[in-house]
Amino acid sequence: MAQGKLQGENLPGYEFKRLRWGFSLGVNGSWYQLEHSQYYVDQIKAGNDYSVNDKTGIGFNVNFITSYRLNQDFVLRAQPGVGYHSRAIEYKNVPADENTQGGNITQQINTFAGELPLLVKYEAKRRRNTQMYFIGGVKPSLVVGGQKKGNPEVLQVKSFDVAIEYGVGLDMFYPFFKFAPEIRYSRGISNIHQPFPTVFNNSIQQLNTNTITLYLNFE
């Protein structure tokens, strides 16, 4: 009898509910994709052994989930929450100026952002207690803490960003809830570089965010 229950279908018909609620926890790896400026090119041409490169940091996400079924195959999902992101840019052999003594400097940008992913989820056919899915959409975000605005010793970046997201996951149906591990890539389409008269900002003309997140979704 117990073996039969374990092998049976959990939460039958749950995937067809019109409205569902839940929450998610995530861990992310995030980095900047940067484009060097003419100032940087001039430093290299002048023979300076100068370099500016991105570094990846680790963060986390906490989100609520609201899912609305559009039809048999597609679900609309809103996933508002907060994300902590740690990104860095490594400057080597920085030329000295009135704001810095020069040398090797790593600018660590740790921020808390309010996020509102708006996603469309395509669900494959459920097979007993598992169901593959693909997901994609847009994610506007606004930094609400961690930035040091106007500080000439710190790289300045804009607070608002918009990203394109896409990923894949697996719905797993248990007797009392649905659990779904999901991997999602986020690519910022906004240039969040903030013009500012320091060597840190003058070396860059474009900054875009990149994030890979492992979500654990519960409904």
Side-chain angles (χ1 to χ4, degrees), residues 106-127:
T106 297
Q107 289 282 330
Q108 190 82 33
I109 311 297
N110 301 321
T111 59
F112 281 96
E115 303 174 340
L116 182 57
L118 300 173
L119 308 161
V120 175
K121 177 184 177 187
Y122 170 75
E123 297 179 339
K125 183 178 179 180
R126 175 173 174 173
R127 299 187 181 279

Side-chain angles (χ1 to χ4, degrees), residues 143-178:
V143 172
V144 295
Q147 286 185 321
K148 299 179 180 179
K149 291 290 188 181
N151 187 338
E153 298 181 356
V154 178
L155 175 70
Q156 299 296 303
V157 296
K158 297 177 181 177
S159 298
F160 183 73
D161 190 20
V162 177
I164 299 294
E165 298 200 318
Y166 52 89
V168 62
L170 177 66
D171 285 330
M172 304 168 67
F173 297 87
Y174 289 89
F176 301 107
F177 64 94
K178 179 169 70 70

